[in-house]
Amino acid sequence: MDWDKRLCYDLLEEMKKYDLFVTYYGSVFDFGYIRAKMLYHNIKFFQPKKKYQLDLYYAIRGKIALSRKSLANVTRFLGIEGKTSLSSGWAEICHGYYTKENIESLYVHNTEDVKILEELHKEFEPLVLFLLQQVYSSNLSKP
């Protein structure tokens, strides 16, 4: 089994442990990318168990008036530090070309994104709690 497919299986097994995913534009980018990889490798994605997603992008976008609602712009506006940019290695990883440098760069970028996402979540916690109640009561937001 190639490395890319093995990574997909490992990710799926890890994701099965959780019922809620908090992302920032993840319903479009992250889950879209994951779904594409799973389809490519003919791996079923979240069939048996219900999963929910809270996408902070959609929760926040109408609540603040900024020219751009990117994670970098919103966190910069709120004084949350740590957003990194991706190197050119990201494109190589997307096409299955893994190098130690590309993987390390992506790991650092994603680790920092998780940290700032947590800070952003805390900043909007009252809104997030309200939205979580809506998600669990209505079952509308499924990745």
Side-chain angles (χ1 to χ4, degrees), residues 12-102:
L12 183 60
E13 287 306 307
E14 185 64 27
M15 292 177 81
K16 285 179 180 178
K17 298 176 186 177
Y18 306 96
D19 292 325
L20 174 68
F21 300 95
V22 179
T23 64
Y24 195 89
Y25 205 64
S27 59
V28 176
F29 180 77
D30 300 276
F31 278 97
Y33 181 78
I34 292 168
R35 272 194 201 95
K37 282 289 189 177
M38 298 293 180
L39 283 169
Y40 178 78
H41 292 297
N42 199 26
I43 301 170
K44 291 192 180 204
F45 189 57
F46 291 149
Q47 299 301 319
K49 190 176 180 186
K50 291 181 180 178
K51 302 289 179 179
Y52 300 97
Q53 180 184 17
L54 174 62
D55 194 326
L56 290 180
Y57 170 80
Y58 294 104
I60 293 171
R61 74 177 180 171
K63 309 300 184 260
I64 55 176
L66 298 175
S67 60
R68 293 190 67 233
K69 305 299 190 312
S70 68
L71 183 58
N73 202 41
V74 171
T75 54
R76 184 175 34 254
F77 174 75
L78 295 172
I80 299 171
E81 297 179 4
K83 182 67 179 144
T84 62
S85 60
L86 281 171
S87 67
S88 60
W90 169 243
E92 294 171 353
I93 288 174
C94 286
H95 296 289
Y97 302 111
Y98 300 100
T99 66
K100 183 179 179 183
E101 294 80 23
N102 291 346

Side-chain angles (χ1 to χ4, degrees), residues 1-10 41 43:
M1 179 181 312
D2 70 37
W3 205 78
D4 193 54
K5 189 171 186 176
R6 177 76 255 154
L7 189 60
C8 288
Y9 275 115
D10 290 348
H41 292 297
I43 301 170

Side-chain angles (χ1 to χ4, degrees), residues 81-130:
E81 297 179 4
K83 182 67 179 144
T84 62
S85 60
L86 281 171
S87 67
S88 60
W90 169 243
E92 294 171 353
I93 288 174
C94 286
H95 296 289
Y97 302 111
Y98 300 100
T99 66
K100 183 179 179 183
E101 294 80 23
N102 291 346
I103 292 169
E104 287 175 354
S105 173
L106 186 60
Y107 178 80
V108 168
H109 174 78
N110 288 340
T111 300
E112 291 304 313
D113 269 7
V114 169
K115 290 176 186 176
I116 64 172
L117 185 61
E118 185 176 8
E119 291 299 315
L120 188 61
H121 180 278
K122 287 177 187 175
E123 191 74 32
F124 285 90
E125 193 164 24
L127 174 64
V128 168
L129 291 174
F130 172 76

